[in-house]
Structure formats: structure tokens, C-alpha cells
Amino acid sequence: MTDVTRSGARGKVLWHLTMSLDGFIAGPDHAMDWMSGVTLSPGLFEEAVSTTGAILAGRRGYDAWARENPGRASERAYGGAWSGPIFVLTHHPEDAVPDSGVTFLNCDVAEAVETGLAAAAGKNLEIFGADIARQCVVRGLIDEFYVHLVPVMLGEGIRLFDCPGIEPVRWERIHDGDPVQAVDLRYRPATGELPSNRGG
Ligand SMILES: NC(=O)c1ccc[n+]([C@@H]2O[C@H](COP(=O)([O-])OP(=O)(O)OC[C@H]3O[C@@H](n4cnc5c(N)ncnc54)[C@H](OP(=O)(O)O)[C@@H]3O)[C@@H](O)[C@H]2O)c1
């Protein structure tokens, strides 16, 4: 992962996620176990940890996270390797599981992004999940979309981008080649066990 920090005082609004081949970012009931055992590109995890200044997430993802780590969800970001301010958007903060590392916001998504960017202090604000990210895409608030494809098909779960009726949203690929060239990927059915490496 290169160039994720922007020069100057303001970091990027980075929608950073891992996705299944069939376009899901979580399985049924927010399952994330499909990522385990998948290898990441060398240095990617470490760079994400060092360039992220704050995280903005939504309440559904937070609730799933808090179910597994009640009161300590913030300590588990990036497997516990990252610490920093986490903001969670919700219309009813009063019934959220409290967490000392999490600030609950009930405001417009653009205001939440500004709050997160200020807290990130020049590093990136990472947008977690699909719902908040969809709102950010529609409002033109995302600076960069960074996706890691996991070679698995889930069939159901939370889609990357569910936004019926919208015009196509176009992106340019950040690399040295043609920014609008399609990416070609070839797979075959997997055989054998997954290696027990760290997932995303
Ligand atoms: N694959 C990956 O890399 C990755 C990374 C991070 C997370 N995830 C997964 O992504 C999933 C996220 O779920 P999701 O995208 O369906 O939902 P979400 O973004 O986590 O949460 C949506 C909720 O946030 C609240 N909300 C949204 N916009 C708001 C606004 N403008 N003001 C106030 N509150 C607002 C609402 O909750 P209220 O009902 O409280 O108002 C809404 O129901 C989780 O399963 C998580 O584990 C995946």
C-alpha cells in the first residue's frame, strides 16, 4: 500500500476493506470468519496500522464487534495492533455498549467525516463497513477506495455497495498503468486446507 497519507495537514478519507469474490464484505449475521487463513500482501497490514489516524464505522458493525469484545471492541482494531480514536455513527447512542475508545456520533455523515479527519491529525480516516461508506460515496466524501479481494464466494451477507437507482460511480485505479484498464483475475477451485496465516 503506497501513498495513503496525503501531504499537508489533512489525511485521506479511505474506504478500506476486504471483499469476497462475489462482492460481500461480511457474511450472514456480520460473519467475518471467511477472512481467516487468507494471506495479505507483505507489509500491507503494517502500513495500514501506521497510516490510519482514526476510524469511522456504523452501529451495525460496531454492535457485531462489541458482541465479541464487550466494552473492549476498540482494543481489537487491526487485531489489537492499532490504537486511536474510533467514531461510530448511530441514531441512538444511548443504548450502545460503552467503550472507552469509542465516541458515538449522531450527526450528518459529512460532519462525522470532518470530526474523524480532525481526530486523525493528518493521518487517514478509515471508513469501515458498507452503509456509512455508501453514504460517503453518494456525498463525494471518499478520497480513496482500497479493496482486498479474498478468493471465496459467500452467496449472502452484506454487499459492498447497495444503492439502487444510482448512476454508475466510476473510479480510477491508482497504479502506474492505464487507470481505467480492467483488472484480470483467474482462479480455480481451491483444494486442501488454508494456511493458518493472519487474516485481514
Ligand atoms: N470486510 C471488511 O473489510 C469490513 C471492515 C469493517 C467492517 N466490516 C463489516 O461491515 C459490516 C457493516 O455493516 P453495515 O454496513 O450494514 O452497517 P454499518 O455501517 O456498520 O451501520 C449502519 C448503522 O449505522 C447507523 N447510521 C448510519 N448512518 C447514520 C447517520 N448518518 N447518522 C446516525 N447513524 C447512522 C445506523 O444505526 P442506528 O440504527 O443505530 O441509527 C445504521 O443502521 C459489519 O458486518 C462489519 O463487520 C467489514
Side-chain angles (χ1 to χ4, degrees), residues 37-178:
V38 171
T39 38
L40 298 176
S41 305
L44 191 154
F45 182 88
E46 292 74 12
E47 194 159 354
V49 167
S50 67
T51 56
T52 300
I55 291 171
L56 175 62
R59 176 71 184 271
R60 282 198 290 268
Y62 172 76
D63 283 352
W65 208 16
R67 264 200 305 275
E68 290 179 18
N69 309 278
R72 303 181 58 236
S74 59
E75 296 171 26
R76 302 303 308 150
Y78 280 108
W82 180 86
S83 63
I86 298 176
F87 300 92
V88 172
L89 267 168
T90 173
H91 294 100
H92 43 102
E94 66 285 351
D95 60 16
V97 176
D99 184 312
S100 59
V102 174
T103 303
F104 297 98
L105 302 175
N106 182 7
C107 62
D108 180 75
V109 72
E111 189 182 334
V113 165
E114 282 309 312
T115 302
L117 272 176
K123 290 189 173 185
N124 294 334
L125 172 66
E126 286 215 351
I127 309 295
F128 270 22
D131 184 86
I132 303 298
R134 174 187 52 77
Q135 297 177 53
C136 289
V137 169
V138 169
R139 301 274 295 272
L141 298 170
I142 301 287
D143 293 315
E144 191 171 314
F145 170 48
Y146 192 23
V147 58
H148 312 292
L149 263 191
V150 172
V152 62
M153 292 179 176
L154 298 179
E156 62 176 316
I158 297 174
R159 292 185 187 285
L160 170 76
F161 190 67
D162 221 346
C163 202
I166 196 175
E167 291 291 315
V169 179
R170 306 215 177 263
W171 300 84
E172 291 182 344
R173 191 161 164 229
I174 302 172
H175 73 148
D176 292 334
D178 178 353

Side-chain angles (χ1 to χ4, degrees), residues 17-36 38 148-160 194:
L17 60 101
T18 306
M19 184 175 77
S20 72
L21 278 183
D22 53 344
F24 293 100
I25 66 155
D29 198 25
H30 301 283
M32 301 297 283
D33 52 347
W34 48 278
M35 287 188 196
S36 61
V38 171
H148 312 292
L149 263 191
V150 172
V152 62
M153 292 179 176
L154 298 179
E156 62 176 316
I158 297 174
R159 292 185 187 285
L160 170 76
L194 279 171

